[in-house]
């Protein structure tokens, strides 16, 4: 039987203890992360999560030993690649993913690196005076010229397509232009929680869209509850208000007089009476009714004033424009809170 070094046994036991104490266990890839940046990332996770780098075979042994108590946790072994490490925390997997993504920083492209997306050198002034750099740009396929004493890129140019390798010449050119197309950080591969293993792609959610979807779902549920007259804590006041408004409308249409409808019914009857009287000849109505019709007509008629002088007209136009602008701004303020 092969002898197993004590330090390996101790390492596996420490990993098992760490896994057992954590609600959530994940696998991250630390490949190509500079030591200084990795240190800063570790500091940002103090009190939130623990990163433990170890040999892949030892981490797999620890997961196997924990599989009885943490069913299906060995599924994490499928995601160990590159410079794999365990991340152990009590945080929600979605929150863990967001923290790790937010901790990523932009970095220069190194020769041999694979472009995660199209790398573009934008059009415009490079800030470099005429010199050998013009030839370097042209050699990597970038259309450049001299304009007003500066090297200028004529149009946006894709120098490396997504998934392609960055050449030494392109890496040097990007560095000189201070273009940092690479993203450096802990790459979360998968997370284990309560018997399930979630790939990182499942944890990448659009927070704004998710919030909008939840708000839309709430509004639809609210409307359904109101229309179906299903009382809840959120809808009971709206249901009662809607029922009250409908009851008042029915009473008014039916001419049922009560404390809620009397003023409305009298007002409608008065308006109909005046409208009917307005269709009659002046001989058919008395003086009191004629006065009421005259007062209604004068209240509705526009007031015609003497045309102001040219200067006064200009002043009034400026005042009207200012008032319109103020009204529009007020409307926008009301709309957007």
């Amino acid at each position: 039987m092969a002898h197993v070094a004590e330090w390996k046994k101790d390492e596996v036991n420490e990993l098992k203890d760490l896994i057992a104490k954590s609600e959530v266990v994940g696998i991250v890839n630390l490949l190509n992360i500079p030591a200084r940046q990795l240190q800063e990332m570790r500091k940002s996770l103090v009190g939130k999560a623990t990163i433990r780098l170890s040999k892949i075979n030892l981490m797999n042994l620890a997961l196997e030993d924990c599989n009885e108590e943490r069913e299906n946790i060995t599924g994490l072994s499928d995601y160990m690649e590159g410079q794999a490490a365990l991340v152990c925390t009590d945080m929600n997997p979605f929150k863990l993913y967001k923290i790790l993504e937010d901790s990523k920083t932009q970095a220069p492209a190194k020769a041999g690196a694979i472009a995660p997306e199209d790398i573009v050198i934008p059009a415009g002034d490079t800030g470099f005076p005429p010199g050998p750099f013009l030839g370097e740009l042209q050699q990597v396929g970038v259309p450049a010229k001299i304009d007003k004493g500066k090297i200028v890129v004529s149009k946006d140019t894709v120098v490396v397509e997504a998934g392609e390798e960055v050449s030494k010449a392109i890496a040097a050119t990007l560095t000189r232009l201070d273009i940092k197309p690479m993203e450096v950080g802990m790459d979360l591969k998968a997370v284990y929680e309560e018997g399930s293993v979630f790939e990182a792609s499942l944890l990448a959610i659009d927070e704004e869209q998710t919030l909008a979807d939840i708000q839309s779902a709430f509004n639809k549920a609210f409307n359904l509850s109101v229309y179906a007259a299903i009382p809840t804590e959120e809808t009971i006041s709206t249901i009662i208000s809607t029922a009250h408004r409908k009851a008042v409308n029915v009473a008014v249409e039916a001419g049922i007089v009560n404390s809620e409808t009397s003023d409305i019914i009298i007002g409608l009857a008065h308006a109909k009476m005046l409208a009917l009287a307005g269709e009659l000849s002046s001989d058919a109505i008395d003086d009191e009714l004629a006065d009421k019709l005259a007062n209604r007509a004068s209240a509705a008629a526009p007031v015609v004033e003497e045309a102001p002088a040219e200067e006064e007209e200009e002043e009034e136009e400026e005042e009207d424009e200012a008032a319109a602008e103020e009204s529009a701004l007020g409307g926008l303020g009301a709309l957007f809170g």
Side-chain angles (χ1 to χ4, degrees):
M1 182 176 178
H3 174 71
V4 179
E6 286 297 322
W7 71 266
K8 290 184 178 181
K9 294 179 182 179
D10 293 339
E11 176 69 6
V12 171
N13 287 331
E14 288 182 16
L15 292 172
K16 285 168 54 180
D17 290 342
L18 184 60
I19 293 169
K21 291 187 296 185
S22 305
E23 294 291 331
V24 173
V25 181
I27 300 295
V28 292
N29 186 0
L30 307 180
L31 190 64
N32 296 326
I33 303 179
R36 183 179 61 81
Q37 287 178 303
L38 181 58
Q39 232 176 6
E40 291 176 359
M41 291 175 188
R42 283 179 180 272
K43 287 180 182 178
S44 69
L45 292 173
V46 171
K48 301 175 183 177
T50 301
I51 305 294
R52 183 63 182 267
L53 180 63
S54 186
K55 290 183 176 292
I56 290 179
N57 65 321
L58 298 182
M59 290 190 287
N60 283 331
L61 286 172
L63 292 175
E64 289 174 8
D65 288 348
C66 294
N67 199 54
E68 288 187 9
E69 296 181 1
R70 311 290 293 276
E71 185 181 358
N72 199 36
I73 197 169
T74 52
L76 289 175
S77 297
D78 297 334
Y79 299 92
M80 291 191 186
E81 57 184 54
Q83 194 170 0
L86 291 175
V87 54
C88 300
T89 182
D90 291 333
M91 281 190 296
N92 179 286
F94 293 95
K95 187 174 182 180
L96 174 64
Y97 177 85
K98 186 175 187 306
I99 288 175
L100 293 180
E101 285 297 303
D102 289 345
S103 69
K104 291 182 177 180
T105 58
Q106 297 303 118
K110 294 182 179 180
I114 302 300
E117 55 188 26
D118 290 350
I119 299 177
V120 179
I121 292 181
D125 187 355
T126 64
F128 286 88
F133 188 52
L134 176 62
E136 291 180 26
L137 287 170
Q138 293 172 342
Q139 285 177 4
V140 296
V142 178
K145 61 183 180 179
I146 305 298
D147 186 18
K148 297 179 181 178
K150 297 288 184 181
I151 297 175
V152 175
V153 175
S154 303
K155 64 178 182 178
D156 291 353
T157 306
V158 177
V159 290
V160 184
E161 293 185 354
E164 291 185 351
E165 186 176 305
V166 179
S167 69
K168 185 176 180 180
I170 291 176
T173 301
L174 293 172
T175 299
R176 292 195 67 180
L177 291 171
D178 197 30
I179 295 176
K180 299 177 179 179
M182 310 304 289
E183 197 173 49
V184 175
M186 297 183 191
D187 188 14
L188 185 66
K189 309 305 293 183
V191 172
Y192 171 89
E193 183 186 36
E194 296 182 355
S196 298
V197 175
F198 304 99
E199 290 189 3
S201 59
L202 298 175
L203 305 176
I205 60 172
D206 185 332
E207 293 184 13
E208 292 184 1
Q209 184 59 49
T210 300
L211 180 59
D213 291 343
I214 292 173
Q215 290 173 334
S216 175
F218 174 84
N219 291 337
K220 291 177 180 178
F222 183 92
N223 292 336
L224 177 61
S225 177
V226 170
Y227 289 132
I230 302 172
T232 66
E233 184 178 348
E234 288 78 13
T235 61
I236 184 63
S237 60
T238 303
I239 291 173
I240 293 174
S241 298
T242 302
H244 176 267
R245 184 174 65 254
K246 290 180 178 179
V248 170
N249 291 340
V250 169
V252 169
E253 291 294 328
I256 300 171
V257 179
N258 56 42
S259 60
E260 295 284 341
T261 64
S262 58
D263 289 344
I264 301 173
I265 292 173
I266 292 171
L268 289 172
H270 184 264
K272 290 179 180 179
M273 179 271 292
L274 291 178
L276 178 60
E279 300 295 325
L280 302 176
S281 66
S282 58
D283 297 336
I285 57 176
D286 59 21
D287 293 339
E288 182 181 357
L289 190 54
D291 289 340
K292 289 182 178 180
L293 290 173
N295 290 335
R296 186 182 70 166
S298 62
V303 178
V304 180
E305 298 181 354
E306 184 179 350
E310 185 176 346
E311 291 183 0
E312 292 178 351
E313 286 182 350
E314 292 179 357
E315 289 179 1
E316 286 191 2
E317 286 178 1
E318 292 176 358
E319 289 177 359
D320 289 343
E321 288 178 3
E325 290 178 2
E326 184 177 350
S327 175
L329 289 173
L332 287 173
L335 180 60
F336 295 106

